[in-house]
Amino acid sequence: MNSSAPADLVLTGARIHTVDPALPEAEALAVRDGRIVWLGAGTDAAAWTGPDTRIIDAGGRLALPGFIDAHNHVRLGSDDSCVQLAGARTLEAIHERITSWRTAHPDAAWIEAEAFDYSAIPGGRMPTAADLDPVTGDTPALVLSYDVHTVWLNTAALHRLGIRKGRTSLPFGEAATDPDSGEPTGFVKDFAVKGLSRDGHRALRELGVPWAAPDRQYGRLTKSLDDAIGYGITTVVEPQNSLDDLALFERARAEGRLRSRIVAALFHPRGTTEADLDAFAEAARRFADDRMRVGPLKLYIDDVVEPRTAALLEPYAGCGHHRGETFYPPEEFAELLTRLDARGFQCFVHATGDRGIRTVLDAVSRARAANGPRDARHQIVHVECLDPADTPRFAALGVVACMQPRHAAPDIAGPGQDWAENIGPDRWHKAWPLRSLHTAGAVLALSSDWNVAEMDPMVGIYSAVTRRPLAGGGEPWTPEETIDVATAVEGYTMGSAYANFLENERGSLSVGKLADFVVLSRDILRVDPEDIPGTVAETVVVGGEVVLTRAGD
């Protein structure tokens, strides 16, 4: 019921999908002091309107809660100073792009590139310095894989970074070596685990790698934050930060660039001390408002399938006995998670292989037995290859499945791609089991994993619903694991809110919650799924403030 003061903002003429079962749909809503104070029929909206009320007429369009991207590396972003290798599917195409970039930047001290696709190297092997040297010469070159889990260096960069025979365990990764000579090949593993840590980043800066410079980091962050708002993402969960990185978000907030709300997880690499945990807890107390919250911890149990560094229950296809390794022995990891759980930390654990996932579930089970059940909402992030025997354990243990539907698309992971070939057809039924987890009662928190994949939630929703290539057409891959559009929307809104203890403030359009919402150009709940990509956010509102509008474009 209306109070004496009119609303600050009224949205009317909309088809509002609230993601709130108590009131699934409405035509209008009213906002006062940044929160929703009313939802109902459009004919009743006039009662909330005063002379200073801002009115948004949606023209019959669909309005949704603002998207919550539960795993989005906005701080890594995409770097305009790098050679862009996305879509370069052959070594020749990579050479062409690097050559073109060098022509345009003849005085560059470094050649840096991003979004390298493993499948571009013929024969399923990993790249070497010899693959880069012909087009990079004596200029050091550093190429980031599309998943930022590995780095590819030329010979000049190996020398500049001090990588040589007998010195391959580095602050920023593990350099692969030739099995016969022991010489480094130019391929560096574990970059996400080490190179993106506080110490790894500092080492890269000290060695003069431009990509690691603070101004370059800030440029990537602000560009990604602008993209997030453009896609209607009103809350971003940045899943891996050091304490040093928080200053970048503070700067963005002070300069008005932090239009999306932020949840920042802190990286817990091996060697994290009790003093570090105390500092993490202090940061969580310091950053605890609705614009920026710090608190969860990010850990890794395994790596990724494409370079065969994820931990599998059975060997990789065609790789003899090799089944990958966990970063911790299972017993040690269970003890670690139990200690962190006892201190009240929520943990985001990267796990892609079925053995890695099982190791995390076993650790959560151990923590519950030792500490007693609590509403911890630990997350397993990615859940790419899940053994069906472990599917019901997510709901039973209260573990959230934080997943990225775009990764499951056939043009990224399907037949002919490194993921599918390394796993082998006999295990394809384990791939990104969205429907199985949802049916078993697990909470799905959906996300993009930008800049590993496209940030646009429309791409993720389309992929979740169709399991088809983004370009359209083609056969779906593992279609038995598709979900419907409403379930995908819930995963990008209420599921991600719940996963981050935000369900009382965000995730649905409900009276009392923050007025974060988006008006879309198409009704994705009713259009043909092939029309979901290309749908844009025409209006984005955060806390009752219109932060983006494309009206009249």
Side-chain angles (χ1 to χ4, degrees):
M1 188 170 180
N2 198 358
S3 62
S4 57
D8 301 321
L9 180 146
V10 167
L11 172 71
T12 189
R15 192 174 91 81
I16 301 173
H17 180 73
T18 66
V19 196
D20 181 351
L23 180 66
E25 293 193 357
E27 296 173 334
L29 62 78
V31 178
R32 187 185 297 125
D33 297 328
R35 293 183 179 270
I36 297 170
V37 292
W38 169 81
L39 296 104
T43 53
D44 296 329
W48 295 87
T49 304
D52 297 322
T53 301
R54 179 165 184 173
I55 300 172
I56 300 173
D57 185 348
R61 291 178 175 83
L62 177 69
L64 296 174
F67 297 113
I68 301 174
D69 193 329
H71 193 88
N72 182 332
H73 299 277
V74 283
R75 192 177 50 76
L76 290 179
S78 180
D79 196 320
D80 291 337
S81 296
C82 290
V83 185
Q84 297 300 315
L85 298 180
R89 294 301 185 116
T90 65
L91 186 56
E92 291 74 18
I94 290 171
H95 284 177
E96 289 173 4
R97 294 196 190 186
I98 291 175
T99 299
S100 177
W101 187 91
R102 290 196 75 191
T103 300
H105 304 84
D107 299 324
W110 278 79
I111 300 165
E112 297 172 311
E114 64 182 11
F116 153 67
D117 191 321
Y118 301 102
S119 64
I121 305 301
R125 64 177 176 85
M126 293 299 108
T128 67
D131 293 318
L132 276 180
D133 288 344
V135 291
T136 57
D138 294 332
T139 304
L142 179 149
V143 179
L144 296 163
S145 60
Y146 81 93
D147 56 14
V148 201
H149 278 253
T150 62
V151 170
W152 174 17
L153 306 170
N154 69 350
T155 299
L158 288 171
H159 293 159
R160 184 71 63 87
L161 299 177
I163 304 172
R164 57 185 180 275
K165 185 176 182 178
R167 188 179 184 272
T168 56
S169 185
L170 310 158
F172 48 84
E174 296 290 325
T177 58
D178 182 276
D180 297 323
S181 69
E183 295 288 343
T185 65
F187 187 63
V188 178
K189 300 181 292 184
D190 300 347
F191 185 77
V193 178
K194 299 179 73 175
L196 302 182
S197 70
R198 192 179 199 178
D199 292 342
H201 224 89
R202 185 178 297 152
L204 292 171
R205 285 198 303 269
E206 291 172 352
L207 288 164
V209 177
W211 181 85
D215 283 348
R216 287 275 293 277
Q217 291 187 70
Y218 187 67
R220 293 192 292 269
L221 171 63
T222 53
K223 181 177 182 293
S224 292
L225 288 171
D226 289 346
D227 289 344
I229 278 297
Y231 291 128
I233 299 168
T234 56
T235 296
V236 169
V237 182
E238 218 305 348
Q240 184 171 325
N241 305 276
S242 73
L243 290 171
D244 293 347
D245 296 324
L246 300 181
L248 296 168
F249 295 102
E250 289 185 281
R251 177 182 170 187
R253 184 171 186 172
E255 295 179 359
R257 304 297 298 274
L258 197 66
R259 292 180 290 170
S260 298
R261 307 178 193 275
I262 291 288
V263 176
L266 295 169
F267 187 29
H268 182 296
R270 183 184 283 276
T272 299
T273 66
E274 288 298 315
D276 292 328
L277 292 176
D278 291 341
F280 292 169
E282 176 56 33
R285 287 188 287 270
R286 179 182 170 200
F287 298 100
D289 63 29
D290 61 30
R291 286 286 169 170
M292 182 172 174
R293 184 168 71 83
V294 171
L297 301 184
K298 171 69 177 292
L299 301 94
Y300 286 80
I301 191 59
D302 68 355
D303 203 35
V304 286
V305 168
E306 288 83 352
R308 307 183 192 99
T309 51
L312 302 182
L313 292 168
E314 300 296 335
Y316 282 87
C319 288
H321 299 292
H322 176 68
R323 60 190 189 121
E325 300 295 337
T326 55
F327 288 119
Y328 299 83
E331 182 69 20
E332 180 185 348
F333 188 76
E335 292 176 359
L336 171 61
L337 190 70
T338 298
R339 290 198 305 273
L340 296 175
D341 182 79
R343 287 197 57 161
F345 286 108
Q346 180 190 21
C347 296
F348 297 171
V349 187
H350 169 113
T352 60
D354 47 15
R355 183 159 54 94
I357 296 166
R358 181 169 293 175
T359 301
V360 180
L361 291 168
D362 289 346
V364 174
S365 181
R366 171 81 69 85
R368 286 170 65 95
N371 302 330
R374 75 177 184 91
D375 188 14
R377 303 187 198 181
H378 298 308
Q379 296 182 21
I380 296 182
V381 181
H382 302 310
V383 197
E384 292 187 0
C385 181
L386 175 65
D387 191 272
D390 290 320
T391 300
R393 301 181 70 194
F394 280 77
L397 293 170
V399 173
V400 172
C402 180
M403 300 177 72
Q404 299 75 42
R406 172 64 172 139
H407 291 186
D411 48 327
I412 290 180
Q417 305 298 327
D418 285 349
W419 196 98
E421 299 310 304
N422 286 341
I423 291 295
D426 290 346
R427 287 179 286 193
W428 287 353
H429 67 282
K430 296 184 175 186
W432 289 273
L434 290 165
R435 188 190 301 181
S436 293
L437 283 163
H438 177 66
T439 301
V443 173
L444 299 179
L446 300 185
S447 60
S448 65
D449 201 12
W450 169 257
N451 62 334
V452 178
E454 299 88 348
M455 192 190 299
D456 187 354
M458 297 300 106
V459 171
I461 291 170
Y462 167 80
S463 299
V465 171
T466 69
R467 310 276 281 217
R468 292 181 183 273
L470 182 57
E475 291 298 315
W477 185 52
T478 57
E480 66 275 11
E481 291 297 346
T482 56
I483 54 178
D484 61 34
V485 178
T487 301
V489 167
E490 183 176 6
Y492 264 103
T493 54
M494 200 60 188
S496 289
Y498 175 87
N500 291 281
F501 293 93
L502 300 172
E503 73 274 16
N504 293 325
E505 295 282 299
R506 305 169 218 180
S508 68
L509 297 177
S510 310
V511 170
K513 288 193 175 184
L514 294 165
D516 297 355
F517 62 87
V518 58
V519 179
L520 298 179
S521 62
R522 296 174 186 150
D523 188 338
I524 63 171
L525 291 160
R526 294 180 175 178
V527 300
D528 188 302
E530 296 293 329
D531 293 328
I532 293 174
T535 301
V536 299
E538 294 196 334
T539 302
V540 182
V541 175
V542 181
E545 177 188 357
V546 179
V547 294
L548 180 141
T549 181
R550 291 189 171 91
D553 283 5

